[in-house]
Amino acid sequence: MWRRKLGCDILISGHTHKNEVVEQEGYYHINPGSITGAYSSTTSDIIPSFVLLAVQGAKIVCYVYELIDGEIDVSKTEFTKKAA
């Protein structure tokens, strides 16, 4: 809803403290999570996390860093904006 109102291709927002990268109808919602693993009222399974975005013209690479059992896990998602 907010992404459509704002007219953006990628919406980055938080508040839930749980990271996620979701594609919906060709657009993306990114929640970076909580770098400290702070308390969340929506779940008790919080993993400390943050995102790093690399913007390269029409291409964006989203790296999600998570601290799981003392080890750093990095996942990558790539988006490419479609020509208008």
Side-chain angles (χ1 to χ4, degrees):
M1 176 168 99
W2 279 107
R3 191 215 47 83
R4 273 187 249 127
K5 284 184 178 183
L6 295 171
C8 57
D9 297 321
I10 298 174
L11 177 66
I12 302 171
S13 67
H15 189 66
T16 64
H17 295 188
K18 184 165 175 63
N19 81 67
E20 64 181 349
V21 178
V22 178
E23 184 272 333
Q24 185 177 24
E25 300 173 6
Y27 300 96
Y28 293 87
H29 175 256
I30 299 173
N31 185 333
S34 170
I35 198 164
T36 63
Y39 170 80
S40 171
S41 61
T42 61
T43 181
S44 61
D45 185 30
I46 297 298
I47 296 171
S49 63
F50 69 93
V51 299
L52 173 67
L53 295 178
V55 180
Q56 304 160 341
K59 180 179 176 182
I60 296 177
V61 181
C62 177
Y63 298 93
V64 177
Y65 291 78
E66 297 177 295
L67 183 62
I68 302 173
D69 297 326
E71 299 290 325
I72 297 173
D73 181 66
V74 182
S75 60
K76 178 174 90 170
T77 305
E78 296 185 20
F79 319 120
T80 301
K81 182 174 176 152
K82 299 174 186 169

